[in-house]
Amino acid sequence: MTTASTEKTGARTDEAAELIGDARERIDALDDRIIGLIQERMAVSAVIQEARISSGGRRVNLAREMEVLGHYRDALGKPGTALAMTVLELCRGRV
């Protein structure tokens, strides 16, 4: 086993280091997809906000935000609520 693979992965065998390395590559790819989806969500949210504001409405629809919070909480448990809050914060006020 190489010291570099141990330091990089925390694994104690080459097999484990390879497995961890492969899994981390997959996580990095998933993170890139998640970031892209959030950026897409931000753009769609900006369109909605612009339409709402230009029609005389408010920038934020609190009832809708509560639906989103509930959806994330139901799907992911209590930490889902915190995640949803972060996503909503990213998507507010971009117009």
Side-chain angles (χ1 to χ4, degrees):
M1 178 173 51
T2 64
T3 304
S5 64
T6 301
E7 290 175 6
K8 189 172 182 176
T9 66
R12 295 185 180 249
T13 67
D14 288 337
E15 288 175 352
E18 185 176 346
L19 179 90
I20 291 168
D22 291 346
R24 284 182 178 171
E25 286 180 18
R26 176 117 195 266
I27 285 174
D28 290 345
L30 289 167
D31 285 343
D32 288 343
R33 288 174 48 199
I34 291 167
I35 290 166
L37 288 169
I38 290 171
Q39 290 169 332
E40 183 178 348
R41 189 189 194 286
M42 290 167 67
V44 172
S45 181
V47 169
I48 292 168
Q49 289 175 51
E50 180 66 37
R52 192 181 298 119
I53 291 168
S54 67
S55 71
R58 298 180 61 176
R59 179 176 56 87
V60 175
N61 180 330
L62 296 178
R64 172 63 180 151
E65 288 197 355
M66 294 304 294
E67 288 177 19
V68 172
L69 290 170
H71 180 68
Y72 275 68
R73 183 190 60 245
D74 292 346
L76 302 172
K78 187 176 177 181
T81 303
L83 177 60
M85 289 297 294
T86 300
V87 170
L88 290 171
E89 182 179 348
L90 286 167
C91 293
R92 284 188 202 122
R94 300 292 182 192
V95 291

